[in-house]
Amino acid sequence: MITAVHTLIYSDDAPATRAFLRDVLQWPYVSDEVPEGDPEWLIFRTGPSEVGVHPTSAKDSSFRAERHHSITLMCDDLDGTMADLASRGAEFATEPVDESFGRIVFMKVPGADDILLYEPRHAVAYSLEG
């Protein structure tokens, strides 16, 4: 039986990325056995999750995307969440934008790619009983 989803972020500066997740996002974590030469190896609890599958192309438009995986964080109030995160040092790569699926913003992550943060307009699955 599958018990969870383990998401990976590959970072050019793993300690800075881990510090961002720990200090800015304030995700709870456990320390795992530290690999040789790595100062701190943390595994974070990310909370409820869901998986969506998006097409790489759309029949009625010129939209195309390469096959890939993406990390997206959801919130109930984008403006309030942005203000809270900014008070702890978060920086944003874009201004908030209205999309068909919700209000979005890209958040900078030290040493790694930006992460999409959004307030969904669609039904969510993360609160379904298991």
Side-chain angles (χ1 to χ4, degrees):
M1 172 187 264
I2 295 173
T3 59
V5 173
H6 186 88
T7 304
L8 300 173
I9 296 174
Y10 287 88
S11 172
D12 293 330
D13 186 350
T17 304
R18 291 178 188 133
F20 176 82
L21 299 176
R22 182 191 63 220
D23 301 336
V24 176
L25 297 187
Q26 296 183 331
W27 285 351
Y29 61 89
V30 295
S31 293
D32 199 8
E33 187 173 317
V34 178
E36 185 71 31
D38 201 335
E40 189 173 32
W41 195 267
L42 308 177
I43 299 173
F44 296 90
R45 182 178 59 81
T46 56
S49 67
E50 57 186 41
V51 173
V53 179
H54 292 235
T56 55
S57 63
K59 293 179 184 177
D60 300 333
S61 77
S62 60
F63 172 80
R64 293 227 19 101
E66 295 296 318
R67 218 174 48 201
H68 68 284
H69 304 295
S70 177
I71 298 171
T72 304
L73 303 179
M74 301 167 80
C75 64
D76 293 330
D77 172 15
L78 185 64
D79 296 323
T81 301
M82 288 177 66
D84 185 45
L85 293 171
S87 75
R88 294 195 298 268
E91 296 180 18
F92 299 92
T94 65
E95 293 295 321
V97 175
D98 285 322
E99 294 288 348
S100 61
F101 60 91
R103 290 189 63 232
I104 71 168
V105 68
F106 281 90
M107 182 171 42
K108 295 179 180 181
V109 179
D113 294 332
D114 298 343
I115 291 180
L116 177 71
L117 171 65
Y118 82 107
E119 178 183 337
R121 287 196 179 105
H122 58 81
V124 296
Y126 61 79
S127 60
L128 296 173
E129 299 275 333

